[in-house]
Amino acid sequence: MKTFDHSGKVIAVTGGSRGIGEAIVRRLCAEGASVFATFNSAPERAEKIASEIREAGGTVTYLQVNVSDEESVKGFIEAVVTQGGRIDALVNNAGITKDGLIMRMSGKDWQDVVDTNLTGVFYACKAAARPMMQQRTGRIVNIGSIVGLQGNAGQVNYSSAKAGLIGLTRSLARELASRNVFVNCVAPGFVETDMTEKLTEEQKASFFSNIPMKRAAGPDEIASVVSFFIAPESSYITGQVLNVDGGLAM
């Protein structure tokens, strides 16, 4: 079911081949957008999603991109503008986890997560800012996490990157607002994805006991908020962090 109309919009989504990213791509395509999405591995999965979207009447292009590499990200944004003619919105969703207590966390595990989850967003925002400013319109939506607000044991790298993403969002919102480019952050809580499916029922029950709504979110519940931030209905909102967490971070 359509909730917002994105007909004619050209939207870039990083990390669009699984979980929350896949849900975002599918929803935006269903709402009329022409979507360019990235994947880093498993091209067959990206092609399967693309085929299903096209069969349903949607328009999507998947490109293999390493978001931790500036030239790769720059090339992606340039491809979006060249092939799509413009870039109306950028959704920064790509991310990885390499969990572990700090005493056991290697420098590489720290750097890999920060490079992908924070520096990669910087690269994408930097590349997209210029064409959006020239258009004098654009939306950037960064996918954060409530652990960026609350912290989480065993995730100092991931939590730090997501906390940094909040500062990036708010600072960039101040820089770009006068050009009608708005920047916001969606901070999901516990979401049912491939990653969370690895947890045992006992582990899930432990998580749910702390969530007032006593359940996880579905990926499309995150995607719907992303769609809102791209839609005209959010035209007076920028620099905000919206928790989509069932009340966990109250």
Side-chain angles (χ1 to χ4, degrees):
M1 178 184 294
K2 285 190 177 183
T3 54
F4 298 104
D5 185 5
H6 297 307
S7 300
K9 292 179 183 176
V10 177
I11 301 175
V13 180
T14 68
S17 65
R18 62 180 66 248
I20 294 171
E22 177 184 344
I24 292 169
V25 170
R26 289 184 183 274
R27 173 172 281 265
L28 295 177
C29 287
E31 293 173 341
S34 176
V35 177
F36 291 80
T38 76
F39 68 94
N40 191 37
S41 59
E44 66 284 351
R45 181 183 177 98
E47 185 51 44
K48 179 177 182 294
I49 296 168
S51 296
E52 292 172 356
I53 289 173
R54 290 168 187 149
E55 287 174 8
T59 303
V60 65
T61 301
Y62 273 93
L63 298 170
Q64 189 165 18
V65 175
N66 176 5
V67 297
S68 66
D69 179 82
E70 184 170 14
E71 289 305 311
S72 184
V73 176
K74 183 179 177 182
F76 169 61
I77 298 299
E78 288 175 348
V80 173
V81 175
T82 299
Q83 296 178 38
R86 57 188 293 112
I87 178 169
D88 295 293
L90 165 67
V91 182
N92 287 300
N93 172 74
I96 61 172
T97 57
K98 291 192 175 182
D99 298 347
L101 297 175
I102 194 167
M103 296 300 293
R104 299 173 186 167
M105 184 175 290
S106 68
K108 186 177 187 306
D109 285 349
W110 165 274
Q111 200 63 56
D112 286 349
V113 169
V114 172
D115 285 349
T116 298
N117 297 12
L118 181 58
T119 307
V121 176
F122 162 73
Y123 292 151
C125 290
K126 180 181 178 181
R130 186 177 299 277
M132 286 184 178
M133 290 172 70
Q134 290 173 341
Q135 295 166 181
R136 290 191 173 274
T137 182
R139 304 293 176 89
I140 296 174
V141 184
N142 297 322
I143 306 301
S145 170
I146 61 160
V147 304
L149 297 165
Q150 293 186 320
N152 194 35
Q155 287 192 312
V156 294
N157 49 4
Y158 187 80
S159 299
S160 297
K162 293 302 186 180
L165 194 58
I166 293 172
L168 185 155
T169 296
R170 289 175 171 162
S171 296
L172 192 58
R174 290 182 180 276
E175 288 187 21
L176 302 182
S178 65
R179 299 299 182 94
N180 204 39
V181 179
F182 309 138
V183 189
N184 291 289
C185 180
V186 178
F190 190 96
V191 184
E192 290 284 4
T193 65
D194 291 346
M195 273 197 270
T196 58
E197 283 179 5
K198 298 174 184 177
L199 299 174
T200 66
E201 290 304 314
E202 291 76 15
Q203 288 173 320
K204 288 183 180 181
S206 176
F207 278 115
F208 295 163
S209 68
N210 295 315
I211 301 172
M213 291 179 67
K214 303 301 181 187
R215 68 172 179 87
D220 198 55
E221 291 180 292
I222 311 303
S224 65
V225 179
V226 172
S227 179
F228 165 70
F229 274 134
I230 295 172
E233 285 82 352
S234 65
S235 60
Y236 199 56
I237 303 173
T238 194
Q240 300 305 304
V241 180
L242 180 56
N243 298 340
V244 187
D245 63 358
L248 181 59
M250 285 194 291

